[in-house]
């Protein structure tokens, strides 16, 4: 082989390999609805933040309980005397006074303080427990909200896929009809008008396919953003909207519209309990408080730094302290009244929220009812439209129909299929919204 040709062949081989590798399809992640929910609930930053908030509240609760135990501290101090104190005794011959202090003074000891009776402290422990409970409920609310968003995004992908399939079938039918008409036109069996109409039908079907493809790409982006996936990754949703058709009536009949699991109402109830405990804690500020303190100290002083010669003098004390609130300028009274008004406000807020949630639940329920009726009508319409399209094609083949009849039949069939898919999608979205309103916890 010619030595000059060999490097050229190697270069061409490298370019060929690079082209093949670049055209090779990337790995595709196939997701069911359950898998999508699992990824979202485990990888979402919102969910992680909510879980971390629970952990923070747990530590805060432990910190509050620590106030019940003795607080033990070790302290030490060194004091250097700059100018000593002078004591005058009034004794003849000692008019200059007597110097009192030494140059160096040391002290070290242990102090223990513990509350014996402190009603505000006991109430604050109960408030901390409600803080943890509220954080847990907020985390559950985040999961419910994320579940609703992922379901709607997943259903949106399925709707876009089914719409693309419908428009592809319409386009394939238009192309097939065009090819058949072109063949008959070349044989002299049909007029040029029919060929032009068939070509127009193909051109009209193409934009719908492109628009459906773009809608599917956008739906995939939205789903991947919720799942925390790279927007450039390949994701395919398993299934279609037809997989949920059989469950429509069964789901609707089992719907319960009670709001006892609604997360918003539960959070308001927990906040109401917190405010009640806060009011009790503020009232407890009027009560006496009793504490105990123990102190053990060592002291020593000297004019030099010969530590071996120091004489340490230990002493200890134990004390009970009683604090009786008398007057605070009306601050405690004002705090109690302010909390009481906040409780009344929260009660009215809960009543208003419950009314709005009841309306929302009934709206979702009515929408599901409407979607079932729309699906039933659209399903019957699809059957009739398919039958009409087949009859129209037969009439056209026998010369009794026109190209306009075929276009009308194809348009009716496409619209009926889109209506059926849209009714299933609307039902699933309404059902997901109802589950979020009712507070159904994701599995």
């Amino acid at each position: 082989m010619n030595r000059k040709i060999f490097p050229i062949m190697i270069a061409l081989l490298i370019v060929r390999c690079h082209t093949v590798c670049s055209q090779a399809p990337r790995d595709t992640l196939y997701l069911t609805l359950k898998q999508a929910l699992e990824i979202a609930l485990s990888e979402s930053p919102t969910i992680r933040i909510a879980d971390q908030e629970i952990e923070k509240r747990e530590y805060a609760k432990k910190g509050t309980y620590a106030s019940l135990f003795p607080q033990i501290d070790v302290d030490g101090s060194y004091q250097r005397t700059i100018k000593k104190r002078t004591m005058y005794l009034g004794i003849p011959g000692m008019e200059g006074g007597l110097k009192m202090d030494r140059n160096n003074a040391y002290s070290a000891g242990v102090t223990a303080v513990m509350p014996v009776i402190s009603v505000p402290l006991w109430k604050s422990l109960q408030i901390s427990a409600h803080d943890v409970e509220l954080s847990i409920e907020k985390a559950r609310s985040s999961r419910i909200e994320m579940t609703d968003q992922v379901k709607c995004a997943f259903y949106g992908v399925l709707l876009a896929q089914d719409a693309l399939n419908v428009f592809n079938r319409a386009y394939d039918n238009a192309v097939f009809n065009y090819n058949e008409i072109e063949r008959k036109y070349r044989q002299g069996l049909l007029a040029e008008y029919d060929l032009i109409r068939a070509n127009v039908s193909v051109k009209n079907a193409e934009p719908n396919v492109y628009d459906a493809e773009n809608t599917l790409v956008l739906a995939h982006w939205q789903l991947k953003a919720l799942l925390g996936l790279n927007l450039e990754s390949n994701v395919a949703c398993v299934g279609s909207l037809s997989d949920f058709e059989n469950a429509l009536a069964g789901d609707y009949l089992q719907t319960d519209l009670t709001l006892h699991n609604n997360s918003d109402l539960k959070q308001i109830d927990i906040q109401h309990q917190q405010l009640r405990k806060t009011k009790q804690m503020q009232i407890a500020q009027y009560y006496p408080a009793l504490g105990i303190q123990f102190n053990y100290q060592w002291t020593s002083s000297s004019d030099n730094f010969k530590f071996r010669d120091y004489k340490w003098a230990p002493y200890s004390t134990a004390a009970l302290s009683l604090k009786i609130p008398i007057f605070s300028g009306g601050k405690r009274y004002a705090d109690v009244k302010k909390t009481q008004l906040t409780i009344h406000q929260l009660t009215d807020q809960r009543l208003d929220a419950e009314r709005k949630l009841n309306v929302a639940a009934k709206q979702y329920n009515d929408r599901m009812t409407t979607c079932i009726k729309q699906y039933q009508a659209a399903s019957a319409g699809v059957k009739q439209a398919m039958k009409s399209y087949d009859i129209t094609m037969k009439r056209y083949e026998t010369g009794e129909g026109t190209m306009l009849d075929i276009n009308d039949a194809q348009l009716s069939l496409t619209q009926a299929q889109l209506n059926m898919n849209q009714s299933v999608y609307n039902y699933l979205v309404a059902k997901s919204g109802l589950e979020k309103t009712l507070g159904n916890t994701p599995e």
Side-chain angles (χ1 to χ4, degrees), residues 394-433:
K394 294 295 183 182
R395 285 171 53 85
Y396 185 81
E397 291 175 359
T398 59
E400 298 180 7
T402 64
M403 193 65 199
L404 183 61
D405 295 333
I406 295 178
N407 292 338
D408 289 341
Q410 179 62 64
L411 180 62
S412 298
L413 176 59
T414 301
Q415 190 62 48
Q417 292 172 332
L418 292 176
N419 289 339
M420 185 176 68
N421 293 336
Q422 188 68 44
S423 63
V424 177
Y425 170 79
N426 291 340
Y427 177 88
L428 294 174
V429 171
K431 179 189 173 186
S432 179

Side-chain angles (χ1 to χ4, degrees), residues 4 30 77-78 89-90 104 143 162 168 176 182 191 224 273 275 290 318 323 328 385 398 407:
K4 295 182 179 180
Y30 294 90
S77 65
Y78 164 74
L89 302 177
N104 304 310
R143 282 177 166 78
D162 288 352
N168 277 330
F176 175 79
E182 183 184 23
K224 286 185 282 190
Q273 295 174 5
L275 287 173
L290 181 64
K323 179 181 178 182
S328 63
T398 59
N407 292 338

Side-chain angles (χ1 to χ4, degrees), residues 51 64 107 109 209-210 235 283 306 354 357 392:
D51 293 338
T64 305
S107 67
V209 175
Y210 300 147
V235 174
I283 293 175
K306 297 180 180 181
E354 186 174 8
L357 289 171
T392 303

